[in-house]
Amino acid sequence: MSEKTIECDLLIIGAGMSGIAASFFASNRGISTVQVGMSTSLSFSSGLLDLMAVHPIETINIWDDPWTGIDALNNDIPNHPYSKIKKEKIKEAFNEIVSFLKQTGINYVSEDDKNTQIITSAGTIKHTYLVPESMWNGAVAYAKKAPCLFIDFHGLKGFSSRQITESLSDNWPNLRSAQIYFPDSFGENFCEHIARSLEKPEMRTKLVESIKPYLHDSKYIAFPAVMGMYSVKEIMSDIEQKIGLPIFEIPTMPPSVPGIRLKNAFEKRIVEKGVKVFFKHKIIRVNQDSSGEFISLLGDGSDITIVSKALILASGRFLGKGLHAERKEIKETIFGLPVYQPESRTLWHENDFFDPKGHAINQSGIETDELLRPINSNKKPFFDNLFAIGTILAHQDWTRMKCGSGLSIATAYAAVNNLKL
Amino acid sequence: MKAQVLIIGGGATGTGISRDLALRGINCILVEKKDINAGASGGNHGLLHSGARYVGADPEAAEECKHEGDIIKKVAPHCIENTGGLFVAVAGDDEKYIADFPQNCSKCGVPAKYVDLKDAFELEPELAKNTIAVYMVEDASVDPFKLSLENLSHAHSNGTIYLPYTKAEGFNIENGRIKSVVVQNMITGEQKKIEADYVVNAAGVWAGELAKLAGMKINMIYSKGSLLVTQRRITKRVINRLRRASDADILVPGGTVSIIGTTSIRTESLESIYPTVEEVDFIISEGAQMLPLLDKIRYIRAYSGVRPLVSLHDSADDRGVTRGFALIDHEKEGIKNFTTITGGKLTTFRLMAEKTSDHVCEKLGISKPCMTKTVPMPNTSSGRWTEPGLAPKTWVRDSSKADILLCECEMIPKSAIDSIISSIIGQSGDLSLNSIGVRSRVGKGPCQGTFCSARIVSYMYDKGNLIDKQGILELQKFINERWKGQRPLLWDIPMVQSELQEAIHCGLFGLEMEQNK
């Protein structure tokens, strides 16, 4: 073997939520793993971990208890990816992730294992499963309709505290909003910059001073999600102590600070655990040799070949480039696997972007057997040790069902446990 | 409210009439049920015809186009990009039509110059290799939004009152005269009466429906045309297929993009007009015969308009129906102060306005000459932000650190949004994300409104332009308006972008769950 060949048990293609979760689970189990993928999509995550909130989507039926929601879903849509995983296994998967994140200082919270209502930057309410502790007070304040002050910053685009208070005002009195200058800044501001500068204690002192005139009778203070990149807990309790009131973060549009926090925590962990990562790279070709091993060629001029016993395809949908839409057909980009899809492009999308029943194309993707292995037209797996996980899977509409993170984490967990090494 | 003349319809013709009458010192009110160019004027190619397209089948229209095109280039050069045009034939095209073309042009007084093939490929390298004949003509590209906004702005500064989102609901007719018109504000639902000495129906494709309210009958034919916008500009000039007018045979440059179209499909309904997947695929395969690049290039948007055609006789092919206009005095049918102007083309809008205004003046006994042939159209700020590339130029030149970009694709800063918002408020228009979109490049870049929509809504709340849950409705309406034009083009990168849009606006914001539409 040449120097440019890497041997491993498992190759994971994709570095979004599902790929990174699979890498995490595999590294926890001591499986020698290589991960390849563009490492951007996790920073697009809001930081909220959805499990299951809406089904049937066309009637916008919201489940307080995601677990009974999953039962109903599996009953009505028997080929939804959740139906291939026992609920206990989904719970185990979340527990393993949550306890790891806790060690890194990112705490996740739910109340009685139920869905929680979270305020978004658009002034809407999102139903989600696990909430970063930094956002939790928002759920409490919303539930109690407590007097609340919403803060935003001059020069921070796409976040208006006035928008949030106006949108929520019909059933939540006593809301205030204030736009302030972030200390020492003028002109354009970005969440990530603000989060990094709040790591410095003197910035927090200045920030609190500029907020004090707006407090009045508020019982909670809300901010866009900018409360630090690493020391979120310390920063928030420092500010709470200085103001004397509980505070919380509101999820923002991407790229989002809570998403970047997740990405940093996971990436650090998997590297520490010995996973070889090739981020900002892609696999351009995969063959299988006679012994059943996968020979994958890394692109971008590196000429590195990765030989693996098993392969997990976590390449995402169109945004992740796992699927590619041509004018007449949707294709899977790495293996050319068959893609479940509507018959023609005229059927891909509804005329109303916000049609609650969703677009038919959202259900398209890779079909698998019970072990999450892609199947051919005879319902047989192509390879014993090729698995597909996350949003590339068919028969789910994660944006409308609000099941994106759950789908990624649960299928990653199941696939890693189904490996035959 | 009272005025000498009430004009119904805020397209190129309606705004053109309001300018023409205002310049003659006549006091007008212009009502529009939506906003500027909501019909055919906003859904066309943006082509100022040299006339060459019509020399074969409609010589009269050809001469009119030539004459009017010259006037518009002179009086409103800021609305025009004087690109010139080529007529090109490819192998297999009708040789008789090609052979007759130069003579037909000269019969109509339409200049057309033979171009050697070698020179043609130098002028426009994207032409198909099997091109067999090329003629150069005087086509140009016109910004139809800027054109109507500038007409309106000039009329407004000469006393015309513009009422957008105001729909004519009924006519009070006494003794064969319209005494008043009942109009409804489409936003507040409030009704009021407008009294006028004379009423002009310039409702374009809705002219038949409006006339029916007054008990008049006009035989309208509705012909839907769809067009595609390429992500970048493909040619310097307008490129026409040198053949009998047909589908997808014109490519018009517009600033940084090119527009290929159209189709011609009879439609009964005027609502829910949108381009379909079938039309898109057809336009691409037809257009690619002339410019093969069209088969591979990325498209950012499709849109549709409906042509108002007036039926004088039955014809199977709508392309055969005249593109001339119809000025109908309803006096014969029993209403003395009511005229309809419809049909026609964007290129002849000024002539339509002139003829209508002459007619109205004659009926009112006013003898004031038409000024729009010679008086230049002022270059104002109300239409300026529709120009591709202007916002970034201005921003780079004048940017201060506080003037941040709300739309990064088209580089539109806060200050441009401020100026658009105050011009809408100044014209007592309805302020919405869509009305900002009509007046600017907002939502027209590669992200198709994913980020800028949310940012501008937030900014509008900060300015106090939105209250309560209006922002949710604004986002839904704006994104759905963009969606009409994205939906049939979702393959390759646009599909990637639409997935991101759905992840943000549905996955995170849950806008599909907000039922207050």
Side-chain angles (χ1 to χ4, degrees), chain B residues 118-261:
Chain B
K118 198 170 127 272
D119 296 339
F121 289 120
E122 250 167 58
L123 294 174
E124 296 296 352
E126 295 303 337
L127 290 180
K129 295 278 172 286
N130 63 345
T131 299
I132 54 170
V134 179
Y135 285 89
M136 191 179 283
V137 298
E138 293 178 348
D139 284 335
S141 157
V142 52
D143 178 343
F145 284 94
K146 189 166 176 134
L147 190 68
S148 290
L149 288 165
E150 296 288 39
N151 266 301
L152 179 64
S153 173
H154 201 191
H156 183 71
S157 62
N158 283 279
T160 296
I161 296 172
Y162 172 52
L163 303 174
Y165 293 93
T166 301
K167 187 181 180 189
E169 290 278 322
F171 295 88
N172 295 316
I173 299 166
E174 280 176 25
N175 303 324
R177 293 185 70 83
I178 297 173
K179 191 128 189 307
S180 64
V181 179
V182 180
V183 298
Q184 183 175 12
N185 181 311
M186 299 304 283
I187 292 152
T188 62
E190 182 201 347
Q191 284 200 339
K192 62 182 165 199
K193 279 183 188 171
I194 299 177
E195 289 179 30
D197 298 335
Y198 208 89
V199 179
V200 176
N201 171 7
V205 77
W206 289 276
E209 291 188 2
L210 190 73
K212 208 190 289 170
L213 286 180
M216 306 288 107
K217 188 167 163 38
I218 305 171
N219 284 327
M220 302 282 300
I221 295 171
Y222 306 135
S223 164
K224 173 191 167 198
S226 292
L227 303 108
L228 307 184
V229 185
T230 59
Q231 199 200 1
R232 63 178 178 82
R233 184 163 168 161
I234 297 172
T235 60
K236 293 194 194 75
R237 294 161 188 79
V238 177
I239 310 291
N240 294 264
R241 184 86 168 264
L242 179 45
R243 68 176 181 192
R244 201 172 304 282
S246 180
D247 286 344
D249 52 8
I250 307 178
L251 180 87
V252 180
T256 54
V257 303
S258 294
I259 296 168
I260 174 80

Side-chain angles (χ1 to χ4, degrees), chain A residues 191-200 228-230 260 264:
Chain A
C191 287
E192 201 178 333
H193 295 172
I194 295 176
R196 288 186 196 283
S197 72
L198 282 178
E199 297 277 339
K200 293 180 219 127
M229 198 56 83
Y230 302 102
I260 299 168
N264 291 345

Side-chain angles (χ1 to χ4, degrees), chain A residues 44 46 48 50 54 60 62 120-127 152 155 157-160 162-163 166-167 169-170 179 186-188 251-254 317-321 324-327 345-346 348-354 356 359 361-362 398-400 402, chain B residues 274 277-278 280-281 284-285 295 401-402 404-406 408 414 450-451 454-455 457-458 461-462 464 466-469 472 475-476 479-480 483 487-492 495-496 498-515 517:
Chain A
F44 275 38
S46 64
L48 299 164
D50 293 353
V54 184
I60 313 175
I62 298 168
T120 77
S121 61
T124 53
I125 299 298
K126 178 173 167 67
H127 301 258
D152 71 88
K157 300 189 280 204
F159 194 101
S160 159
R162 190 157 172 178
Q163 174 176 10
E166 284 284 335
S167 303
S169 60
D170 59 348
Q179 187 169 70
F186 56 98
E188 186 156 2
T252 63
M253 286 176 76
R317 297 177 66 77
F318 305 104
L319 189 59
K321 310 251 191 298
H324 184 253
E326 296 179 0
R327 246 158 80 194
R345 201 167 96 243
T346 53
W348 285 3
H349 294 97
E350 297 297 321
N351 289 335
D352 178 356
F353 179 77
F354 295 107
H359 306 292
I361 198 165
N362 295 356
W398 68 269
T399 66
R400 281 171 171 75
K402 319 297 168 194
Chain B
Y274 48 83
V277 168
E278 292 88 343
V280 164
D281 287 351
I284 292 174
S285 68
D295 199 36
K401 255 193 131 177
I404 61 177
L405 293 178
L406 292 179
E408 278 154 8
K414 264 186 186 178
T450 301
F451 288 91
R455 288 171 179 166
V457 161
S458 294
Y461 272 107
D462 287 346
L466 295 174
I467 55 161
D468 299 333
K469 289 187 174 221
I472 291 169
L475 284 172
Q476 288 173 333
I479 288 172
N480 254 335
W483 179 248
R487 184 188 168 274
L489 295 172
L490 293 177
W491 66 87
D492 205 2
M495 180 68 120
V496 173
S498 82
E499 194 180 51
L500 177 62
Q501 186 172 31
E502 211 171 351
I504 294 172
H505 292 274
C506 299
L508 175 59
F509 294 158
L511 290 177
E512 86 285 8
M513 295 167 70
E514 299 286 331
Q515 291 292 290
K517 289 185 209 179

Side-chain angles (χ1 to χ4, degrees), chain A residues 361-380:
Chain A
I361 198 165
N362 295 356
Q363 304 284 336
S364 67
I366 304 300
E367 294 186 301
T368 71
D369 68 359
E370 292 303 305
L371 298 178
L372 296 173
R373 297 177 300 186
I375 50 173
N376 61 24
S377 55
N378 299 322
K379 312 269 175 209
K380 294 277 177 274

Side-chain angles (χ1 to χ4, degrees), chain A residues 321-338:
Chain A
K321 310 251 191 298
L323 297 180
H324 184 253
E326 296 179 0
R327 246 158 80 194
K328 293 188 176 9
E329 195 185 357
I330 301 161
K331 290 186 172 158
E332 190 278 316
T333 54
I334 294 168
F335 291 88
L337 295 170

Side-chain angles (χ1 to χ4, degrees), chain B residues 236-363:
Chain B
K236 293 194 194 75
R237 294 161 188 79
V238 177
I239 310 291
N240 294 264
R241 184 86 168 264
L242 179 45
R243 68 176 181 192
R244 201 172 304 282
S246 180
D247 286 344
D249 52 8
I250 307 178
L251 180 87
V252 180
T256 54
V257 303
S258 294
I259 296 168
I260 174 80
T262 74
T263 48
S264 176
I265 299 170
R266 280 263 189 126
T267 169
E268 295 302 316
S269 148
L270 294 179
E271 307 305 324
S272 317
I273 293 295
Y274 48 83
T276 63
V277 168
E278 292 88 343
E279 283 177 288
V280 164
D281 287 351
F282 184 68
I283 290 170
I284 292 174
S285 68
E286 281 290 299
Q289 294 173 23
M290 202 163 57
L291 296 148
L293 187 66
L294 290 172
D295 199 36
K296 296 182 203 83
I297 200 158
R298 179 173 167 194
Y299 294 89
I300 62 179
R301 186 158 179 80
Y303 61 97
S304 296
V306 180
R307 305 173 182 90
L309 304 177
V310 181
S311 164
L312 302 173
H313 50 83
D314 282 335
S315 165
D317 176 12
D318 292 343
R319 302 250 183 226
V321 177
T322 177
R323 297 300 157 85
F325 55 84
L327 180 69
I328 305 163
D329 182 353
H330 296 289
E331 182 156 12
K332 275 188 291 205
E333 299 152 275
I335 303 184
K336 295 188 189 79
N337 60 342
F338 187 40
T339 284
T340 293
I341 174 79
T342 188
K345 291 178 290 293
L346 182 66
T347 305
T348 56
F349 89 95
R350 194 212 59 84
L351 182 64
M352 293 164 73
E354 177 185 337
K355 296 288 180 202
T356 310
S357 302
D358 283 350
H359 178 75
V360 171
C361 286
E362 191 191 317
K363 300 283 274 197

